[in-house]
């Protein structure tokens, strides 16, 4: 009885002012997707299935079903109507279906046809992620919830990566959930030039590096926003520091090329004071890395100064002739999604080349167009929005999407689950921000006033025929 008494509302309390839990919506699915994608090791797939599917891809398929059902009703809170991102993802999906039909009608070997089936399913899981975010995340608070989850999970990846790098201990081998299995027994720690390269829970150190580079602007956005609004901000700076540390511990050239592209976008839109703060934070961070882990910065610099002696770079340029030959055989729709794979064929460390081989010119244009639509939507939303924090989020999302757009030219991005899932989620976030910007602009315009309402059509005077 005493416990029941403690849960009663005090006399005179304003019941309407008490916080109420938000009903589950697209943002809830987005948060679940981010947590599962970034915490469950990327090489874990479900047992007992005829093809490999990760838990995050299963969430993406559920999101696609949720979105389809939401479009049939008006009670699930999903937005309706066209947006550029929505149109781009529909175009991407149509290109995949056309490629699949073209490949299935040909004489593909059985192993390649099975891979085409698998990759089509996983690709539509990512389509579901974009759609559930662009149409299911309604309001700035819900969008912030999804993006804050991305930043916090990025910090968790940074912690795992630091443990792998500093302690030479891989905790991911103990993170196997019931019903899952590893697709590979390789460790998430590899060696390069005498230094450990770590992957955290992602599939490869390059993927880990590009993931950190892509989500670092999000953590910086919330850190700067909290500072400017005089709110607690040290936690967001800690997240940014851990994400940046993960990028360094991966020892990857692709990450720094990507973060340079993001920095160009951010510095072009940031005010002068923020640029100086960012420069100071970068100097402090690099100084801390130099003291804690001497030799890492030198190894990273050598990645760029030793390009002429880099065997991996020479290997990447040797496959252009084979790619051109294969593209000429199926120029428009490609040979089939997922049908060009190692060790049966050469590995293309370039997603644009691989996408052109597998899905043709139409497919690569649809793939790149999806990211360009996200960048345009984020920058367009920035122009439409009036609140400085909202405008900064538009700039941040555009900077984030520049990273995979560049990274796709340096490695086969689509082959890795975490970077693919986050890239598609951020494309959806840019579309959701654009939708909110248009809704805010329409609300600010207000309803049509009587003075501005169109005049009723003129009617001729009644005649006597009806009397």
């Amino acid at each position: 009885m005493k416990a029941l008494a403690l849960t009663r509302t005090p006399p005179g309390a304003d019941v309407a002012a008490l916080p109420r839990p938000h009903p589950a919506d697209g943002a809830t699915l987005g948060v679940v997707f981010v947590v599962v994608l970034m915490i469950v090791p990327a090489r874990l797939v479900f047992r007992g299935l005829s093809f490999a599917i990760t838990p995050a891809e299963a969430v993406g398929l559920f999101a696609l079903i949720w979105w389809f059902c939401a479009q049939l009703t008006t009670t699930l809170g999903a937005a309706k109507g066209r947006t550029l991102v929505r149109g781009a993802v529909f175009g991407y999906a149509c290109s995949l279906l056309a490629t699949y039909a073209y490949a299935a009608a040909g004489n593909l070997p059985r192993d390649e046809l099975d891979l085409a089936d698998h990759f089509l399913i996983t690709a539509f899981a990512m389509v579901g992620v974009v759609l559930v975010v662009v149409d299911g995340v309604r309001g700035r608070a819900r969008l912030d919830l999804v993006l804050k989850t991305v930043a916090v999970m990025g910090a968790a990846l940074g912690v795992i990566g630091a443990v792998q790098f500093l302690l030479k201990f891989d905790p991911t081998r103990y993170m196997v959930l019931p019903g899952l299995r590893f697709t590979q027994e390789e460790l998430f720690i590899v060696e390069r030039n005498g230094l450990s390269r770590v992957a955290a829970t992602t599939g490869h150190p390059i993927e880990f590096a590009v993931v950190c580079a892509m989500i670092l602007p999000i953590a910086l956005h919330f850190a700067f926003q909290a500072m400017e609004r005089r709110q607690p901000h040290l936690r967001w700076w800690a997240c940014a520091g851990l994400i940046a540390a993960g990028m360094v511990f991966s020892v990857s050239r692709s990450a720094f090329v990507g973060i340079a592209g993001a920095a160009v976008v951010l510095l072009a839109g940031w005010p002068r004071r923020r640029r100086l703060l960012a420069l100071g934070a970068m100097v402090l961070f690099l100084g801390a890395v130099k003291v804690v882990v001497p030799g890492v910065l030198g190894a990273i610099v050598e990645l760029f100064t030793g390009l002429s002696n880099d065997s991996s770079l020479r290997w990447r340029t040797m496959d252009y002739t084979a790619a051109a030959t294969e593209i000429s055989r199926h120029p428009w729709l490609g040979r089939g999604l997922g049908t060009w794979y190692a060790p049966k064929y050469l590995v293309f460390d370039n997603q644009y080349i691989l996408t052109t081989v597998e899905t043709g010119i139409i497919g690569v244009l649809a793939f790149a167009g999806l990211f360009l639509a996200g960048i345009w939507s984020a920058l367009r939303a920035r122009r439409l929005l009036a609140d400085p924090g909202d405008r900064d989020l538009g700039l941040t999302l555009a900077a984030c999407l520049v990273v995979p757009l560049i990274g796709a030219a340096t490695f086969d991005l689509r082959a890795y689950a975490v970077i693919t899932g986050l890239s598609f989620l951020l494309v959806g976030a840019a579309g959701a921000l654009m939708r909110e910007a248009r809704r805010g602009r329409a609300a600010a315009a207000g309803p049509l006033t009587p003075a501005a309402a169109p005049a009723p059509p003129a009617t001729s005077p009644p005649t006597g025929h009806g009397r």
Side-chain angles (χ1 to χ4, degrees):
M1 295 298 293
K2 291 182 179 179
L4 288 175
L6 290 175
T7 60
R8 292 175 183 170
T9 304
D14 186 3
V15 178
L18 295 177
R20 296 181 179 179
H22 196 285
D25 59 356
T28 308
L29 267 178
V31 167
V32 172
F33 174 77
V34 170
V35 173
V36 172
L37 178 72
M38 300 181 73
I39 293 301
V40 178
R43 298 175 190 169
L44 285 177
V45 298
F46 287 105
R47 294 180 182 271
L49 296 180
S50 58
F51 55 87
I53 183 170
T54 66
E57 290 166 346
V59 176
L61 290 173
F62 177 79
L64 183 62
I65 296 171
W66 181 92
W67 176 87
F68 179 77
C69 294
Q71 294 301 308
L72 301 178
T73 70
T74 59
T75 59
L76 293 180
K80 306 292 195 297
R82 294 175 294 178
T83 66
L84 180 63
V85 166
R86 198 180 185 196
V89 76
F90 284 163
Y92 176 69
C94 290
S95 73
L96 295 181
L97 290 174
T99 294
Y100 179 81
Y102 175 74
N107 296 319
L108 281 178
R110 184 63 191 180
D111 59 335
E112 296 182 15
L113 187 58
D114 290 342
L115 284 173
D117 295 340
H118 170 236
F119 274 84
L120 184 68
I121 292 173
T122 58
F124 269 82
M126 297 302 101
V127 169
V129 171
V130 177
L131 291 175
V132 81
V133 174
V134 73
D135 287 343
V137 179
R138 311 293 301 277
R140 281 285 287 109
R142 303 301 286 170
L143 182 58
D144 277 351
L145 175 64
V146 176
L147 296 178
K148 286 178 179 179
T149 305
V150 172
V152 173
M153 291 299 103
L157 287 189
V159 172
I160 297 173
V163 170
Q164 292 173 334
F165 186 87
L166 299 175
L167 304 181
K168 304 298 186 290
F169 171 72
D170 186 10
T172 59
R173 65 175 65 186
Y174 304 103
M175 299 169 63
V176 183
L177 300 176
L180 303 179
R181 63 175 178 85
F182 276 110
T183 56
Q184 303 177 41
E185 295 300 328
E186 298 177 5
L187 298 179
F188 285 68
I189 306 174
V190 298
E191 297 290 328
R192 179 173 188 171
N193 298 333
L195 287 174
S196 296
R197 301 181 66 199
V198 300
T201 62
T202 67
H204 193 275
I206 294 179
E207 182 189 15
F208 178 41
V210 178
V211 164
C212 291
M214 183 172 61
I215 63 180
L216 179 59
I218 297 176
L220 292 176
H221 164 76
F222 289 117
F224 281 123
Q225 288 301 303
M227 281 186 62
E228 293 167 0
R229 295 173 180 176
R230 301 187 182 278
Q231 298 172 348
H233 54 83
L234 290 181
R235 55 189 174 184
W236 296 115
W237 284 112
C239 287
L242 289 170
I243 294 169
M247 186 172 63
V248 171
F249 293 153
S250 63
V251 194
S252 172
R253 184 189 300 116
S254 298
F256 294 93
V257 174
I259 200 65
V264 170
V265 177
L266 292 174
L267 294 176
W270 276 352
R272 183 173 179 272
R273 181 174 178 273
R274 184 176 292 190
R275 295 176 191 170
L276 294 176
L277 285 173
L279 179 62
M282 183 184 69
V283 171
L284 289 175
F285 173 77
L286 294 178
V289 171
K290 183 70 175 178
V291 172
V292 176
V293 195
V296 173
L297 295 182
I300 293 172
V301 172
E302 189 178 351
L303 292 176
F304 295 93
T305 58
L307 289 177
S308 58
N309 300 321
D310 193 333
S311 59
S312 65
L313 188 62
R314 290 198 302 270
W315 176 258
R316 295 181 184 189
T317 59
M318 290 172 57
D319 49 19
Y320 289 169
T321 302
T325 301
E326 191 62 32
I327 292 170
S328 65
R329 294 173 181 169
H330 313 277
W332 295 108
L333 292 175
R335 69 191 318 273
L337 183 65
T339 59
W340 187 275
Y341 68 98
K344 187 175 182 178
Y345 301 108
L346 287 172
V347 176
F348 298 135
D349 284 321
N350 185 312
Q351 187 59 53
Y352 295 118
I353 294 177
L354 180 60
T355 301
T356 308
V357 168
E358 292 186 339
T359 63
I361 297 173
I362 295 175
V364 74
L365 291 178
F367 174 76
L370 188 61
F371 291 99
L372 292 175
I375 293 172
W376 186 92
S377 296
L379 294 177
R380 177 61 179 167
R382 182 173 184 263
R383 293 190 61 184
L384 294 177
L385 293 165
D387 181 77
D390 296 343
R391 289 170 54 83
D392 186 66
L393 181 59
L395 183 72
T396 298
L397 290 175
C400 291
L401 291 173
V402 166
V403 177
L405 196 65
I406 296 175
T410 62
F411 75 112
D412 47 339
L413 179 146
R414 186 64 183 82
Y416 297 98
V418 179
I419 182 64
T420 300
L422 284 176
S423 299
F424 278 64
L425 179 117
L426 293 180
V427 169
L433 183 65
M434 180 62 187
R435 192 185 287 279
E436 288 301 312
R438 286 182 173 173
R439 186 182 64 83
R441 176 62 65 92
L448 202 61
T449 61
T459 58
S460 55
T463 62
H465 299 291
R467 294 178 183 175

